[in-house]
Amino acid sequence: MDDVPGLDEPLKNVLGGTTAKVMAEHLDLHTVGDLLHHYPRRYAERGELTRLSDLPLDEHVTVVAQVEDARVHTFNGARGKGQRLEVTITDGSGRLQLVFFGRGIHAPQNELLPGTRAMFAGKVSAFHRKLQLAHPAYELLRGDGGADAVDAWAGALIPIYPACKQLESWKIAKAVDAVLPRAQDAVDPLPPALREGRGFAALPEALVKIHRPANKADIAIARERLKWDEAFVLQVALARRRYADTQLPAVARRPVPGGLLDAFDAKLPFTLTEGQQKVSKEIFADLATEHPMHRLLQGEVGSGKTMVALRAMLGVVDAGGQAAMLAPTEVLAQQHHRSVTEMMGDLAEGGMLGGAEQATKVVLLTGSMGTAARRQALLDLVTGEAGIVIGTHALIEDKVQFHDLGLVVVDEQHRFGVEQRDALRGKGKQPPHLLVMTATPIPRTVAMTVFGDLETSVLDQLPAGRSPIASHVVPAKDKPHFLARAWERVREEVEGGHQAYVVCPRIGDDEDEPRKKSAEDEAEKRPPLAVLDIAAQLTKGPLKGLRVEILHGRMQPDDKDDVMRRFAAGEVDVLVATTVIEVGVNVPNATAMVIMDADRFGVSQLHQLRGRVGRGSAPGLCLLVTEMPEASPARARLNAVAGTLDGFELSRIDLEQRREGDVLGQAQSGVKSSLRMLAVIDDEEVIAAAREEAVTVVAGDPELERLPGLRTALNALVDKEREQYLDKG
């Protein structure tokens, strides 16, 4: 049974060109099947109204409410007299102002009379600290039964769809009505035994119930079924990837006694933490098998992941192989190269005078290297002269050949697609072992979903000697003197012989892409703060006389490296930078960080940034500067970051606060596109159960020959992944 073309039919055949074009461009919906899987975000009940009291600022919302009051105001504008219609709507929980201007006021003036109920859609903005919708689209809900509007929504539950400015929720609902009969053609991905065993509704029935529920029980039945589909198909994809990996051969790499690793360990000025020892043991056990290791190493900022990875790399070099370490940016690759060569000392000087006898060569390979240096690095790799190579994605290029690649270490995996891993894997005589590292703490559910093809190790203790970091929110608008004090604190740190970072959301040169103004910006009347502007203000003002330098992604690689090197050497007091310093930059003498417009960053990102200070023996200080009002969700987010240093706790808060479906970040190996119903943070049990079922199914039928419906669903998911696997970070 192949996929019935019914669901593959282009929307333009069913809905007409104009609507189909808007759906494709703004909602990424192209086929009948896409639209059937565009589920309502929630349901409004005729009798009850949406909660106006907790509308999110700057989002496109649909609300059902009743008109309380409508007035026309005349005002003197730039073009003479103008008229403005202000309508107050209420839902019992709160009020919301609607504003219509100019000629646009005539229809609403006649239709939006007190007592009228309607659905309103628009973008929530703030005006004089009050929420409002300017020129919302609306659809009246008449109770006379004769109106089209009520007939269009079956029963008492009105589905509210994720919508956009160009296409309101009720228009999407009408489009769904046109395609709903095709739900009967949906191919069921669940094996019959699984579906019956768990008592799930059939797929066509679930699709009808999610879009047109007669009651709340229908929604629950449909959700349970559709969640399982998503979790199960995804887990089957991951289980098949794990299964395929176990079928691959690999060279077992066992460290040689008295080799490079032993020489390195003998030089270490400290002992490894218990956590580092435990994780190293897991890694060396994997390396000793004849199937490729696939392990995810999660560790808090500063927990010593690089040390663990380096020891694994040295062990592989001892066993006659080569190791490659991949970083997401050039700044980070250069930094890793510097710290690895420093940690190894004369052990990194293979083939050079003064190199230790067990030494190997450690080479750097990035896209911006000069031709001669690049040629030499490539030569060292192909001859096997270099045991360790550190670089950016440039390592994956066709020209790069290895003598015998045994281990690949990938730093910050969430910027690295599955296909890239495969490309690198193809560089070995046999598939190399793979170790993936991330400092972004990942809750178990996300680990099972995004990194479900990897075994997981966690480093959760910080090495001794790490200092605590004090974090504070600086409300620059409410209390300007707090900001002045922040700059004084930076001066004090510098006077005490330390250094500081100032982080801004933008670079600020003319190449900054023209920004879409959000309502929040409109309220503040300014774009996010920029490195170039802030650096200029600080050198003339509060930090006058200090050595201030800038660092951002558009600088020439040599200039970036030069600034970083001088900062690391203590020749720069304050580094004003974008988030290029987010990952892996290690300057133990930097003790203070001021993050400007901190509300523009995500929780995990703030945690990452903060991890750049407090890396030495002096305590760290992180100041989160914001102009957002005290009651705003943005401030709540910042308070959470200031309140805990526990990355796992913050990653949970982060996930709970983000919109569902955005949980997995942009294209965490393309998974985002496939999760519509599954809430990764809440549905841990579903994901865990689906994972077990998936393992059983794949073990019994790896090619899914007996499950054509599942194979079809899987191909659709994998195609989506293929389209999106690459997030260059």
Side-chain angles (χ1 to χ4, degrees), residues 198-227:
R198 290 186 177 263
F200 290 138
L203 184 55
E205 180 195 341
L207 287 170
V208 171
K209 283 185 168 164
I210 199 77
H211 288 292
R212 298 293 172 264
N215 49 44
K216 287 183 175 171
D218 279 1
I219 301 173
I221 290 168
R223 276 197 169 142
E224 183 186 38
R225 164 66 222 245
L226 296 167
K227 268 182 188 181

Side-chain angles (χ1 to χ4, degrees), residues 670-728:
V671 173
K672 175 182 177 189
S673 56
S674 62
L675 295 190
R676 296 193 175 85
M677 185 59 75
L678 201 64
V680 174
I681 196 91
D682 301 331
D683 294 323
E684 184 162 343
E685 283 150 33
V686 175
I687 294 170
R691 181 175 171 132
E692 277 175 35
E693 295 272 12
V695 169
T696 311
V697 166
V698 170
D701 183 3
E703 293 304 310
L704 309 179
E705 282 160 4
R706 299 188 291 281
L707 298 166
L710 177 54
R711 210 166 57 234
T712 302
L714 200 62
N715 291 340
L717 173 71
V718 173
D719 286 348
K720 277 245 162 69
E721 282 205 11
R722 283 277 128 68
E723 284 164 28
Q724 293 193 291
Y725 76 90
L726 195 58
D727 174 14
K728 286 217 164 73

Side-chain angles (χ1 to χ4, degrees), residues 540-555:
K540 290 194 191 94
L543 302 185
K544 198 171 175 179
L546 300 187
R547 298 169 298 176
V548 178
E549 293 269 1
I550 58 172
L551 180 70
H552 59 72
R554 251 190 251 125
M555 287 163 58

Side-chain angles (χ1 to χ4, degrees), residues 159-181:
I160 307 279
Y161 287 91
C164 60
K165 188 175 173 184
Q166 295 76 4
L167 201 64
E168 292 89 11
S169 171
W170 51 87
K171 290 183 183 161
I172 296 173
K174 285 175 181 156
V176 169
D177 285 336
V179 300
L180 206 50

Side-chain angles (χ1 to χ4, degrees), residues 104-337:
I105 76 172
H106 302 308
Q109 195 177 348
N110 296 329
E111 292 177 328
L112 297 179
L113 304 169
T116 310
R117 301 180 54 164
M119 294 173 70
F120 301 91
K123 198 164 189 186
V124 182
S125 57
F127 185 70
H128 288 322
R129 301 244 163 177
K130 271 195 173 145
L131 295 184
Q132 67 168 29
L133 299 181
H135 286 279
Y138 61 88
E139 182 100 332
L140 302 179
L141 295 173
R142 298 193 179 87
D144 57 341
D148 302 345
V150 177
D151 296 346
W153 300 300
L157 292 165
I158 304 170
I160 307 279
Y161 287 91
C164 60
K165 188 175 173 184
Q166 295 76 4
L167 201 64
E168 292 89 11
S169 171
W170 51 87
K171 290 183 183 161
I172 296 173
K174 285 175 181 156
V176 169
D177 285 336
V179 300
L180 206 50
R182 311 285 178 96
Q184 300 313 314
D185 303 339
V187 180
D188 199 324
L190 293 190
L194 169 62
R195 191 175 74 234
E196 287 151 22
R198 290 186 177 263
F200 290 138
L203 184 55
E205 180 195 341
L207 287 170
V208 171
K209 283 185 168 164
I210 199 77
H211 288 292
R212 298 293 172 264
N215 49 44
K216 287 183 175 171
D218 279 1
I219 301 173
I221 290 168
R223 276 197 169 142
E224 183 186 38
R225 164 66 222 245
L226 296 167
K227 268 182 188 181
W228 252 88
D229 281 17
E230 286 179 13
F232 182 70
V233 173
L234 181 57
Q235 290 302 335
V236 166
L238 296 166
R240 286 193 69 194
R241 212 179 278 162
R242 287 195 304 273
Y243 179 83
D245 287 341
T246 61
Q247 304 307 300
L248 293 171
V251 179
R253 310 278 178 178
R254 298 183 184 88
V256 185
L260 187 55
L261 179 59
D262 283 355
F264 176 76
D265 282 349
K267 286 173 49 154
L268 276 184
F270 50 82
T271 52
L272 298 178
T273 64
E274 263 172 68
Q276 286 174 317
Q277 290 174 16
K278 179 178 125 275
V279 170
S280 291
K281 212 170 177 168
E282 293 168 349
I283 291 170
F284 282 115
D286 284 358
L287 289 172
T289 63
E290 299 193 344
H291 296 295
M293 160 170 84
H294 289 106
R295 190 166 282 281
L296 169 68
L297 174 55
Q298 268 186 267
E300 269 289 13
V301 176
S303 56
K305 294 181 300 298
T306 314
M307 172 61 70
V308 169
L310 176 55
R311 292 184 70 251
M313 286 158 61
L314 298 175
V316 168
V317 173
D318 274 347
Q322 288 168 296
M325 187 177 210
L326 266 177
T329 62
E330 294 213 349
V331 168
L332 200 50
Q334 288 161 340
Q335 167 125 3
H336 275 317
H337 181 254

